[in-house]
Amino acid sequence: MTTLGCALFATRWLQAPLYFGLVAAQGVYVYKFFNELWNLINHVFSGQADETYVMLAVLKLVDVVMIANLLIMVIVGGYETFVSRIGLQGHRDQPEWLSHVNSNVLKVKLATAIVGISSVHLLQMFVDVHHTDQHSLLWGTVIHMAFIFSAAILAYMSGPMTAHERGHGLKDHQHPEPVVLPRQRGARTGEGEWGDDRPHGSDRARGGDRPRGSGRPHGDEREEPDEWESGAEERVTEAGFPARKVLEMFDDGQLRSPGPQTLARLGKVDFVTHKANVVFLGAPGTGKTHLAIALGVRACQAGHRVLFATAAEWADRLQEAKAAGRLAKLLTELDTYPLLIVDEVGYVPFDDDVAGLFFRLVSHRYERASLIVTSDRPFGRWGEVFGDGDTVSAMVDRLVHHAEVITLDGESYRSRRLEEAAVTGWAGPGY
């Protein structure tokens, strides 16, 4: 950045006193609220308040609170968006909307808040209609409708504007360079390199062999396979899967849940388009890694870029990025991958710093892009992995808000294979 550019960028701090001025205005509304509340209490205990008076007084209190909410939204959201990051990531009281706020979202939220305030004012007029002249009532209604119309226009415009921004981003990254991450693994397809959750009956899925029709969603009737397969192998290789796995090779016969229809629906990978998450929970050996990789392969074949790594590997990458002062840049670079897979959450415990980094990852991708997470323990025991209960609660809240949580209920294929080996005296290749 040039010296002139740095100077211009530094002028954003001129806005800081404005936000502190709004903080003072917030204090004025706090005083006004308690003053109105005290007057209401006095009138009620003195017997001077009828039902209409109480209703109007309560509406005034609601009006003050809504305006105060509008102020705090402008103060915190505006400062975070236009001046400087506040750095609330990982704080247990971080506002939910602040994790994905931008100028476009802020404008829509402000417009809807103004409509709410206007609604309260109009309701006050109708409650006290006998003391409100028709002229005021008419113009109050007209002004309220104008606010509604303006908010509707802003909400309508926010969709095309967001799509336009994403379209530019997609155009700029049509042939993006892969994100260079430490210890990123290439796709291994040799024998004996299956992941920890090898599927039931996976003897058929040896190495990189690919069955007929593998990688295509069930019921896909497109006649141009090139459209489905174009660039898929490059994306699969880039993803760093430990092995090639497909849904067709997953034997769900030993599972009590979920049903085949659930897996078939997930195989359409619509959740990636909807920026939703998938979480696989279950005991070791029930097929979590197999399903995560299979859905990742499907996503690659559907045209999405994917990155796969275990939770321990993601922890190393995030820690190294933080130590190098490029954590924010890494998270932004990962936005070019619509799907990230975090495997084996629970096998390695992490300290509070790593827990905060995982929260940053989940929070950054919240409603922006998809995650597939596998774990051998339920959410109630994630505190054993990440330690900090508040951070775990906030992370799980964002992870499951737009997610399909699948619990794999069945016997471990490894235990069954050992039982078969005890009977037959042969454990098969790779054992």
Side-chain angles (χ1 to χ4, degrees), residues 313-372:
E313 290 169 334
W314 280 115
D316 289 341
R317 294 170 179 178
L318 294 170
Q319 283 182 302
E320 291 180 13
K322 180 181 179 181
R326 58 182 307 273
L327 179 59
K329 182 179 180 182
L330 173 62
L331 295 176
T332 302
E333 289 173 347
L334 290 175
D335 287 342
T336 63
Y337 291 84
L339 176 61
L340 300 184
I341 300 177
V342 182
D343 193 29
E344 299 178 351
V345 172
Y347 289 90
V348 179
F350 302 114
D351 58 27
D352 290 348
D353 289 339
V354 175
L357 293 175
F358 270 102
F359 174 82
R360 286 283 301 273
L361 177 65
V362 173
S363 179
H364 182 84
R365 294 184 70 81
Y366 176 65
E367 295 186 338
R368 290 182 179 178
S370 298
L371 287 166
I372 293 178

Side-chain angles (χ1 to χ4, degrees), residues 178-240:
V179 176
V180 179
L181 298 172
R183 287 179 294 283
Q184 181 170 332
R185 297 175 294 179
R188 300 193 303 265
T189 56
E191 292 190 4
E193 294 187 0
W194 292 94
D196 284 343
D197 291 293
R198 185 175 178 177
H200 313 295
S202 59
D203 285 344
R204 296 174 296 166
R206 182 65 55 193
D209 294 342
R210 185 174 182 178
R212 180 181 177 183
S214 67
R216 186 183 294 266
H218 299 294
D220 193 347
E221 298 179 354
R222 282 179 289 188
E223 297 180 356
E224 297 181 3
D226 289 343
E227 179 183 353
W228 178 262
E229 298 292 343
S230 177
E233 288 303 318
E234 290 80 0
R235 287 187 290 273
V236 169
T237 301
E238 179 193 17

Side-chain angles (χ1 to χ4, degrees), residues 62-142:
V62 172
D63 188 26
V64 171
V65 171
M66 293 184 70
I67 295 176
N69 290 342
L70 178 63
L71 275 173
I72 199 66
M73 192 181 302
V74 173
I75 293 169
V76 179
Y79 185 89
E80 173 92 3
T81 303
F82 300 109
V83 180
S84 179
R85 292 286 184 186
I86 300 177
L88 292 176
Q89 290 81 2
H91 194 281
R92 63 181 181 180
D93 293 329
Q94 179 187 2
E96 182 274 334
W97 53 269
L98 193 58
S99 62
H100 51 276
V101 72
N102 54 46
S103 58
N104 198 34
V105 172
L106 190 60
K107 285 187 290 187
V108 175
K109 288 183 178 292
L110 293 179
T112 53
I114 291 172
V115 170
I117 294 169
S118 175
S119 300
V120 173
H121 278 279
L122 190 61
L123 181 58
Q124 287 177 306
M125 290 183 180
F126 280 107
V127 169
D128 198 25
V129 67
H130 297 296
H131 299 90
T132 306
D133 61 88
Q134 291 185 352
H135 183 268
S136 299
L137 195 60
L138 173 63
W139 279 106
T141 304
V142 171

Side-chain angles (χ1 to χ4, degrees), residues 156-197:
Y156 175 78
M157 291 175 61
S158 67
M161 289 171 67
T162 303
H164 180 70
E165 291 172 1
R166 289 176 181 166
H168 273 289
L170 182 61
K171 184 176 180 181
D172 294 339
H173 296 92
Q174 194 167 10
H175 299 288
E177 292 295 324
V179 176
V180 179
L181 298 172
R183 287 179 294 283
Q184 181 170 332
R185 297 175 294 179
R188 300 193 303 265
T189 56
E191 292 190 4
E193 294 187 0
W194 292 94
D196 284 343
D197 291 293

